[in-house]
């Protein structure tokens, strides 16, 4: 059940996000609208429902998935059961997916296990005095939050490995239609590519989830968010997180750009505001981009996880109690994860993976002006590995090719199967191939599918050729079409977005009358462009931009 509470709409904010200062120069996004807090549980405790709670008490995420992992792993020490009901009431919940399409659930492995996919979201919201103090950018107080950090955490079905995929905040995507569950407001699908961080302002985190599922076709089980103050408190609770720079760094220039981070060359444990500065730093790291900042965040997360496993200071009940209070007050989760018991159970699953089997990656991208788009080929390859539950570190057991499941639904005669063919050859890098739907329709007709028709009015962008069907009684028909064209049965998928059998010719089949063999073969290597970082790598060190160095190291 969703919790209760009054919703307050707020003015739109400039796109400063989790940048280091209000001088980043990003253009403001369209749209607006704040979110309110939903509480779990009942009662009149301090963590209760809406009541007289001031709007500024609404907790709003921060960006850091590392903080979230700390909460989950700490659950194994028992912190989650302290003040159980009180902590449950602290948790804020919201709807998981606000779109009108869900990615298919993964097929269980031989042991009946399925992977877990959790979207970690952080925003730039400054909706409390504490978060405002930490976040800066005073003119954005109370404005529409932006999902400036998005990371997909994938826990393998057998719980032997974990993968994390970061998406740069300024990635341009097609955002799907989202409906706000509180007031029913409908945000229509974007008609042009839009920055992914704007999804949070289109009804809440469920729209961010819907956007990820549309892009990746990965079924997402849960989402989590955490706020600015949570980052500071978590880092304090464990006594600091070691990070490394290859030169003295001071993230500040004469125009006020920078987070203010000041560190000496080498490894330094950061906590409190300094930890927040590390996570926000862009000016100072080599390249000065969101990509550089993502690398620094990966380093922080890996180091944090190692500290949480080894840090003896967390044996103090008082420290654990403080951490539990902070964590549950800072977190927002989907409804199905909205209790301390469920977080505790999830932590038990996550702790099964050793650091050396954790792989951090960044979605392969290419620049379009000052923004980025998913890199054709490489981005889909990374998403497919996650969908297929293939470990990104290359250390997993080699899987035998899965036997394609043939539908029990008997197919109709070829001449009786109605097939609509659409052109999905458009990509971020190339325009659609003119007449492609008609060409493949003629190919089908020649094979006996005389009811095949071309939709010449629709130009889609589909990385892989796909055949969709709406219900079980048409699955056999869809598979028969796939076999006739030499498509793998894995290209056939059920979808409520279609009313009959629909073949979308993808960017992997831009020419010719035969589906390319290379498109059917699967390469299980993680693309180099994903810049994988192993969770046990203690030698990783951020390269400092020479323009942001200072003095000489002490001693």
């Amino acid at each position: 059940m969703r919790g209760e509470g009054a919703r307050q709409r707020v003015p739109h904010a400039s796109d400063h996000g989790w940048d280091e200062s209000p001088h980043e120069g990003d253009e403001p996004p369209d749209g607006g609208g704040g979110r309110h807090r939903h509480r779990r549980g009942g009662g009149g405790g301090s963590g209760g429902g809406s009541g007289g709670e001031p709007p500024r008490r609404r907790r709003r995420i921060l960006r850091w998935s590392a903080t979230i992992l700390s909460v989950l792993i700490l659950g194994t020490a028992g912190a989650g059961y302290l003040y159980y009901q009180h902590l449950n009431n602290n948790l804020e919940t919201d709807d998981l997916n606000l779109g009108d399409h869900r990615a298919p659930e993964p097929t269980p492995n031989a042991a009946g296990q399925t992977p877990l996919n959790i979207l970690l979201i952080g925003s730039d919201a400054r909706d409390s005095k504490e978060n405002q103090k930490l976040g800066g950018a005073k003119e954005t107080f109370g404005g529409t939050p932006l999902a400036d950090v998005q990371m997909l955490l994938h826990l393998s079905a057998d719980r032997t490995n974990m993968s994390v995929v970061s998406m740069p905040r300024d990635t341009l995507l097609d955002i799907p239609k989202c409906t706000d569950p509180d007031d029913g407001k409908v945000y229509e699908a974007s008609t042009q590519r839009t920055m992914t961080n704007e999804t949070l302002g289109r009804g809440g985190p469920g729209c961010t989830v819907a956007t990820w599922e549309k892009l990746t076709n990965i079924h997402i089980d849960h989402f989590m968010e955490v706020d600015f103050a949570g980052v500071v408190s978590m880092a304090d609770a464990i006594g600091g997180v070691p990070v490394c720079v290859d030169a003295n760094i001071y993230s500040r220039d004469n125009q006020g750009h920078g987070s203010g981070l000041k560190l000496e060359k080498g490894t330094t444990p950061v906590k409190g505001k300094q930890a927040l500065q590390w996570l926000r730093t862009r000016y100072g790291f080599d390249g000065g981009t969101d990509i550089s900042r993502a690398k620094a965040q990966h380093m922080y997360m890996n180091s944090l996880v190692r500290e949480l496993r080894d840090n003896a200071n967390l044996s103090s009940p008082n420290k654990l109690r403080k951490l539990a209070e902070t964590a549950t007050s800072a977190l927002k989760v989907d409804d199905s994860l909205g209790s301390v018991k469920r977080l505790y159970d999830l932590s038990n699953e996550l702790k099964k993976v050793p650091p050396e089997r954790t792989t951090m990656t960044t979605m392969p991208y290419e620049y379009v002006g000052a923004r980025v788009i998913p890199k054709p080929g490489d981005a889909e390859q990374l998403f497919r590995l996650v969908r297929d539950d293939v470990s990104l570190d290359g250390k997993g057991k080699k899987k035998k090719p899965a036997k394609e499941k043939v539908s029990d639904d008997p197919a109709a005669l070829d001449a009786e199967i109605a097939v609509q063919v659409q052109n999905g050859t458009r990509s971020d890098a190339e325009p659609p191939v003119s007449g492609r739907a008609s060409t493949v329709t003629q190919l089908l007709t020649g094979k006996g599918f005389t009811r095949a028709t071309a939709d010449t009015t629709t130009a889609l962008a589909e990385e892989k050729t796909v055949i969709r069907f709406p219900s079980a009684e048409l699955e056999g028909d869809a598979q028969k079409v796939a076999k006739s064209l030499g498509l793998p049965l894995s290209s056939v998928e059920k979808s409520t977005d279609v009313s009959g059998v629909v073949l979308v010719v993808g960017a992997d089949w831009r020419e010719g009358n035969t589906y390319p063999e290379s498109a059917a073969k699967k390469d299980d290597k993680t693309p180099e462009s994903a810049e994988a970082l192993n969770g046990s790598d203690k030698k990783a060190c951020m390269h400092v931009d020479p323009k942001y160095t200072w003095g000489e190291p002490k001693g």
Side-chain angles (χ1 to χ4, degrees), residues 85-286:
Q85 188 58 50
H86 168 67
L87 296 181
N88 274 346
N89 289 339
N90 282 349
L91 284 170
E92 183 182 0
T93 66
D94 217 326
D95 293 60
L96 175 62
N97 189 309
L98 302 184
D100 50 10
H101 171 72
R102 291 303 311 273
E105 295 186 14
T107 302
N109 63 14
Q113 302 166 301
T114 55
L116 273 174
N117 294 305
I118 306 166
L119 187 61
L120 311 174
I121 309 171
S123 91
D124 69 342
R126 281 89 171 181
D127 58 357
S128 71
K129 291 182 178 179
E130 188 174 17
N131 281 336
Q132 176 66 46
K133 181 179 178 181
L134 293 168
K138 294 180 180 179
E139 70 273 17
T140 69
F141 187 88
T144 304
L146 300 169
D148 275 352
V149 168
Q150 299 172 37
M151 290 187 172
L152 180 66
L153 185 154
H154 172 83
L155 183 62
S156 66
D158 61 8
R159 305 308 189 246
T160 62
N161 66 89
M162 184 161 59
S163 306
V164 178
V165 179
S166 295
M167 184 186 295
R169 77 184 190 102
D170 54 359
T171 300
L172 297 173
L173 298 173
D174 294 327
I175 300 177
K177 174 182 175 182
C178 293
T179 303
D180 191 309
D182 291 338
D183 59 9
K185 181 176 180 179
V186 176
Y187 296 84
E188 295 296 341
S190 59
T191 56
Q192 59 184 6
R193 291 183 303 192
T194 305
M195 281 178 59
T196 182
N197 65 352
E198 294 185 31
T199 55
L200 198 59
R202 298 166 65 91
C207 192
T208 309
V209 171
T211 302
W212 270 80
E213 289 206 359
K214 178 181 179 180
L215 172 69
T216 67
N217 205 32
I218 295 170
H219 184 86
I220 295 175
D221 301 283
H222 303 293
F223 75 79
M224 295 183 178
E225 300 175 276
V226 65
D227 65 14
F228 289 125
V231 170
V232 173
S233 299
M234 300 296 177
D236 288 347
I238 65 172
V241 176
V243 295
C244 178
V245 288
D246 66 359
N248 295 347
I249 182 174
Y250 181 47
S251 178
R252 185 74 73 199
D253 65 15
N254 56 14
Q255 295 182 339
H257 296 134
S259 68
L261 177 71
K262 190 172 185 178
L263 295 176
E264 293 183 353
K265 176 181 178 179
T267 300
T268 304
V270 295
K271 60 181 180 179
K273 187 173 182 178
Q274 199 172 47
L276 184 64
Q277 289 173 332
W278 175 273
L279 297 174
R280 295 175 59 212
T281 294
R282 184 175 84 174
Y283 291 100
F285 292 143
D286 187 43

Side-chain angles (χ1 to χ4, degrees), residues 21 46 51 139 145 252 270 373 441 443 471 519:
S21 73
S46 60
E139 70 273 17
R252 185 74 73 199
V270 295
I373 58 173
T441 298
L443 181 62
S471 53

Side-chain angles (χ1 to χ4, degrees), residues 460-477:
L460 305 174
E462 200 77 50
E463 185 81 23
K464 300 286 186 180
T465 299
V466 63
I467 300 176
R468 298 189 172 102
F469 65 95
S471 53
E473 61 268 19
L474 291 178
E475 183 177 16
D477 293 356

Side-chain angles (χ1 to χ4, degrees), residues 376 423-428 430 433 460-465 504-511:
N423 187 347
T425 56
R426 176 173 63 86
S427 70
D428 291 319
E430 297 179 282
V433 178
L460 305 174
E462 200 77 50
E463 185 81 23
K464 300 286 186 180
T465 299
V504 184
V505 184
D508 59 342
W509 194 14
R510 293 176 61 85
E511 59 184 8

